[in-house]
Amino acid sequence: MSDNVLLHLGEEPRFDQIKTEDIKPALQTAIAEAREQIAAIKAQTHTDWANTVEKLTDITERVGRIWSVVSHLNSVVDTPELRAVYNELMPEITIFFTEIGQDIELYNRFKIIKNSAEFDTLSPAQQTKLNHDLRDFVLSGAELPPEQQAELAQLQTEGAQLGAKFAQNVQDATDAFGIYFDDAAPLAGIPEDSIAMFAAAAQSEGKTGYKIGLQIPHYLAVIQYADNRELREQIYRAYVTRASELSDEGKFDNTANVEQTLANALKTAKLLGFKNYAELSLATKMADTPEQVLNFLHDLARRAKPFAEKDFAEIKAFARENLNIEDPQSWDLSYAAEKLRQAKYAFSETEVKKYFPISKVLAGLFAQIKKLYGIELAEKTVPVWHKDVRYFELKQDGQTIGGVYMDLYAREGKRGGAWMDGYKSRRRFADGTLQLPTAYLVCNFTPPVGDKEARLSHDEIITLFHETGHGLHHLLTQVDEVGVSGINGVEWDAVELPSQFMENFVWEYDVLAQMSSHEETGAVLPKELFDKMHAAKNFQRGMFLVRQMEFALFDMEIYHQEDEGRLKEWPQILDKVRQEVAVTQPPAYNRFALSFSHIFAGGYSAGYYSYAWAEVLSADAYAAFEESDDVAETGRRFWKEVLAVGGSRSAAESFKAFRGREPTLDALLRHSGFDNAA
């Protein structure tokens, strides 16, 4: 057992040496040892920070780090063998952490520290961590009688399994789909690099011709550019019926998972004394009540809908007059919008993409980070899980302060979407040594084909900056307590502030110019083209925002239900939300909710509103840079007051410390072009 890599995780995992067969013995050994160490904590006659809180952190961080590596690999290099052991061990890891959360002896020891003279000697970050821990003990059921603790533990285990199964069904349904073409004639209108991607996908299976899958670069290439309307509809139907009874003979149908997830969530909330799961969810967020969130979303939807109706009317007229599409359907909207964009602003996304090779984009991103914070990134060779993965160290004045893995391209066996996750967090040990943070940054961009360098669309660059914002929040922390350093302990509805904040810089010409180089001429992005892009920044913004309100309201409404009998009515709840906020209605076969991993498998349950909530904060924060002549000084303050403090104080306090006031809607409405809305 001593040679098991997972039991001896060092500064960075040795991904090249991790074997699937080592995972189970490593995790079970670590859990068994942890239980012995926890028993030793509880056997002590004296209770203080060092022998209780610090010691428990040592124990849980070791187990958590092993599971973090396993979970990460399950997301980025899914194999049948890895999935089997992941699913087998999920109940064990859930039970382990549930046991800790419900341990009344540990809870009482934490309360002793809170009520002792020692509490006043703790640092503000330590005090915040202890207060969070006490809250989390209560939310884990530490104060419940044993029978209810057992019921809650069972619900939490089932919930973790349901989330994993939901995500796996979506991934399997995505990977199972493929349509093949012998020649490129049906692919008219699709950009050459996407057609090359389809050819490479077929070639990887030993086939000639072209394969179109449902990974997001494939889907977007067709739905946005294909002149073949039947092909667009075919891909659209396949995409919106993933993981439903209408695809793959129901093999990956998530309907039962959704209903059971909602039922478990409501039971969990009621066991803990809440009326519904939305109330429980908000117990750790900035927002106070579900009603406050619903009012916020309804208000934003009301402001956005007139603009969305105008957007849709413009698309309908254009499609009728220029594309011979009398009644545009869901599979026509992205295609018509792209044609309208080209006609209205005289540029296409395909044209823009030619300017942004991945190497230049990363160099430009790193230059912007240096400009804002004085931080440099240097590539370093370390063991990785796939040949495309790269690793960079963050350096301040020549000293390493953290590291980030970047896994940027879509592929089969990799979960869709984009995310940042932490492998380890900043922490200072009792002997003064410092543990540096490490992050995973994962995207699903169009991969390179052959010897040709990958090029990013402007939307993909926005995504890269967004996830980097999350990464910087985790990596630039100056807090030494692991429970509140980086993104740890930050309210979920504020965690998108640093990520959405970073997106704003992708709309600055100087930033884009330095990361551009045309694939044929090497020329930088012309100012004239940028001006067209900027003019089109809020193109179809109304339709985008009401779509986000649809997602957020659906999420909050289904988790706001108090009657278990109504939980199976989630399709009707979705229809009702659409009737209120949407300007287009999808076809009856649309099953988007069954692949909505954010709220059924991604931690955003009763929390999807966070994107809109945090965008108010991020737009207002960026406005400080618009108002300042000294980007470096403003960046230093943003680092100091927001990024550096992590979860060691409330997000509201951090924002106010940076801006000197409470946030307002003004900047968001102005950036969205809604500042004149009623």
Side-chain angles (χ1 to χ4, degrees):
M1 199 68 65
S2 62
D3 61 347
N4 191 319
V5 174
L6 282 166
L7 276 172
H8 303 282
L9 289 170
E11 280 301 296
E12 312 304 341
R14 298 197 294 276
F15 284 107
D16 56 336
Q17 298 178 32
I18 295 174
K19 300 175 182 176
T20 303
E21 58 266 29
D22 290 339
I23 293 173
K24 184 175 179 179
L27 191 70
Q28 291 181 331
T29 297
I31 288 176
E33 292 173 351
R35 286 185 170 127
E36 292 176 5
Q37 293 164 341
I38 290 170
I41 291 176
K42 295 190 291 185
Q44 299 173 126
T45 57
H46 173 68
T47 297
D48 59 30
W49 176 273
N51 72 11
T52 301
V53 181
E54 194 73 20
K55 185 61 178 175
L56 186 62
T57 300
D58 291 338
I59 296 166
T60 55
E61 194 179 5
R62 183 192 184 210
V63 175
R65 195 179 294 182
I66 293 172
W67 185 245
S68 166
V69 170
V70 176
S71 298
H72 175 70
L73 290 175
N74 185 62
S75 295
V76 294
V77 285
D78 185 20
T79 64
E81 296 78 17
L82 177 59
R83 180 181 294 189
V85 72
Y86 175 82
N87 288 339
E88 180 185 357
L89 292 173
M90 177 168 284
E92 294 189 39
I93 193 74
T94 305
I95 289 168
F96 171 73
F97 282 107
T98 300
E99 284 175 357
I100 294 173
Q102 295 184 346
D103 194 313
I104 192 66
E105 293 181 64
L106 287 176
Y107 178 41
N108 286 334
R109 285 177 178 271
F110 276 59
K111 286 196 289 186
I112 287 170
I113 299 169
K114 168 73 174 180
N115 296 320
S116 71
E118 185 187 18
F119 183 78
D120 293 330
T121 70
L122 300 177
S123 70
Q126 289 172 327
Q127 291 181 350
T128 301
K129 172 180 161 47
L130 186 64
N131 287 331
H132 285 186
D133 288 341
L134 289 168
R135 175 200 67 194
D136 293 342
F137 271 115
V138 175
L139 295 179
S140 296
E143 295 180 339
L144 294 177
E147 320 83 67
Q148 291 185 337
Q149 282 189 338
E151 184 180 356
L152 182 61
Q154 180 62 29
L155 287 169
Q156 290 174 333
T157 299
E158 289 178 4
Q161 292 173 308
L162 286 165
K165 184 60 177 174
F166 185 98
Q168 290 164 6
N169 280 345
V170 174
Q171 182 174 314
D172 289 346
T174 301
D175 289 345
F177 179 84
I179 52 175
Y180 300 84
F181 297 92
D182 293 329
D183 62 72
L187 310 180
I190 298 175
E192 291 181 7
D193 60 340
S194 295
I195 292 177
M197 174 178 66
F198 299 154
Q203 190 175 12
S204 70
E205 297 181 0
K207 295 181 170 67
T208 58
Y210 308 90
K211 177 193 176 183
I212 300 177
L214 290 181
Q215 289 77 23
I216 200 65
H218 286 233
Y219 174 74
L220 290 179
V222 173
I223 208 70
Q224 192 169 356
Y225 296 107
D227 294 333
N228 185 334
R229 194 182 187 202
E230 290 182 3
L231 176 59
R232 294 200 306 271
E233 182 179 4
Q234 183 179 6
I235 292 295
Y236 173 83
R237 180 186 287 266
Y239 192 78
V240 301
T241 58
R242 287 177 303 159
S244 78
E245 83 283 10
L246 300 179
S247 66
D248 304 293
E249 299 179 338
K251 183 178 178 182
F252 308 119
D253 186 6
N254 266 332
T255 303
N257 290 328
V258 167
E259 293 173 357
Q260 191 60 50
T261 294
L262 294 174
N264 280 25
L266 180 57
K267 289 176 183 176
T268 297
K270 290 190 172 181
L271 271 175
L272 292 170
F274 296 91
K275 291 188 294 185
N276 53 63
Y277 184 80
E279 285 191 355
L280 170 57
S281 173
L282 295 186
T284 57
K285 294 181 171 68
M286 287 181 71
D288 295 322
T289 66
E291 289 73 23
Q292 181 189 14
V293 172
L294 288 166
N295 288 338
F296 166 74
L297 295 173
H298 286 301
D299 181 52
L300 204 49
R302 178 186 62 80
R303 292 171 182 264
K305 191 166 184 179
F307 292 90
E309 289 170 336
K310 182 180 177 182
D311 289 344
F312 184 50
E314 189 176 28
I315 281 188
K316 284 180 67 177
F318 181 85
R320 182 177 62 252
E321 296 165 10
N322 298 276
L323 303 176
N324 200 30
I325 300 176
E326 190 62 34
D327 183 21
Q329 300 298 310
S330 296
W331 51 89
D332 298 317
L333 296 179
S334 293
Y335 175 76
E338 177 58 26
K339 295 294 187 186
L340 175 58
R341 184 209 310 270
Q342 294 177 28
K344 194 171 182 178
Y345 301 101
F347 80 93
S348 70
E349 291 286 2
T350 304
E351 177 188 3
V352 171
K353 190 173 182 178
K354 293 179 180 180
Y355 283 94
F356 294 110
I358 186 66
S359 59
K360 289 283 287 185
V361 171
L362 288 176
L365 170 63
F366 297 165
Q368 184 61 24
I369 293 171
K370 183 176 182 181
K371 182 178 180 182
L372 288 171
Y373 309 119
I375 299 298
E376 298 186 272
L377 284 89
E379 190 160 12
K380 180 182 178 181
T381 300
V382 300
V384 293
W385 55 89
H386 188 274
K387 63 181 179 62
D388 290 338
V389 178
R390 301 168 70 181
Y391 180 82
F392 299 89
E393 287 187 332
L394 281 75
K395 294 183 177 290
Q396 182 182 23
D397 300 326
Q399 296 295 310
T400 300
I401 62 171
V404 58
Y405 295 89
M406 290 190 172
D407 184 353
L408 300 181
Y409 305 120
R411 58 179 177 267
E412 290 192 11
K414 180 180 178 182
R415 196 180 89 207
W419 67 92
M420 189 286 301
D421 201 0
Y423 162 60
K424 56 186 172 69
S425 302
R426 178 182 166 110
R427 182 186 179 195
R428 193 171 298 278
F429 295 95
D431 63 5
T433 58
L434 184 65
Q435 173 178 285
L436 299 178
T438 305
Y440 305 121
L441 196 158
V442 185
C443 298
N444 274 276
F445 299 149
T446 305
V449 177
D451 297 329
K452 193 174 181 181
E453 185 175 14
R455 290 184 175 266
L456 302 190
S457 69
H458 190 247
D459 282 344
E460 288 176 327
I461 297 172
I462 290 173
T463 297
L464 177 62
F465 270 60
H466 178 103
E467 299 306 334
T468 300
H470 281 308
L472 293 173
H473 199 184
H474 184 67
L475 297 168
L476 296 187
T477 186
Q478 298 293 300
V479 176
D480 293 339
E481 291 303 323
V482 70
V484 288
S485 68
I487 61 171
N488 299 316
V490 177
E491 298 99 317
W492 197 264
D493 44 4
V495 80
E496 296 295 335
L497 162 58
S499 55
Q500 293 175 331
F501 162 78
M502 280 294 290
E503 293 181 22
N504 291 284
F505 294 102
V506 186
W507 289 105
E508 293 185 5
Y509 176 68
D510 290 345
V511 174
L512 280 181
Q514 70 179 347
M515 63 174 64
S516 63
S517 176
H518 193 276
E519 64 181 7
E520 295 169 3
T521 66
V524 301
L525 182 76
K527 181 64 162 58
E528 180 185 9
L529 178 53
F530 170 79
D531 288 341
K532 294 174 182 177
M533 293 166 60
H534 197 273
K537 178 183 177 184
N538 289 321
F539 176 66
Q540 300 291 298
R541 172 70 174 173
M543 288 187 67
F544 168 80
L545 197 51
V546 295
R547 183 77 165 144
Q548 289 297 299
M549 294 304 97
E550 177 185 318
F551 295 164
L553 282 165
F554 169 63
D555 167 48
M556 187 56 66
E557 289 285 5
I558 59 174
Y559 283 109
H560 193 222
Q561 298 300 314
E562 300 175 18
D563 179 2
E564 189 172 346
R566 288 206 63 203
L567 295 180
K568 290 189 177 183
E569 296 177 13
W570 60 266
Q572 289 75 34
I573 293 172
L574 177 56
D575 287 342
K576 184 179 177 182
V577 168
R578 283 174 172 160
Q579 291 301 321
E580 177 194 347
V581 305
V583 295
T584 65
Q585 297 298 321
Y589 60 71
N590 184 294
R591 298 288 188 274
F592 114 89
L594 299 181
S595 59
F596 195 5
S597 296
H598 272 79
I599 70 168
F600 296 119
Y604 279 83
S605 308
Y608 195 83
Y609 76 91
S610 300
Y611 286 101
W613 186 277
E615 195 171 2
V616 174
L617 305 178
S618 65
D620 202 344
Y622 177 70
F625 288 79
E626 295 178 304
E627 296 161 8
S628 172
D629 294 326
D630 191 338
V631 171
E633 168 60 20
T634 310
R636 184 195 65 78
R637 285 197 302 108
F638 186 74
W639 183 0
K640 176 186 176 184
E641 303 294 359
V642 178
L643 302 179
V645 298
S648 66
R649 68 181 178 196
S650 74
E653 290 178 275
S654 295
F655 181 90
K656 193 169 181 179
F658 173 63
R659 270 313 244 152
R661 57 165 174 76
E662 302 289 341
T664 73
L665 263 174
D666 297 348
L668 175 59
L669 295 175
R670 175 167 53 82
H671 289 168
S672 300
F674 299 162
D675 44 330
N676 294 319

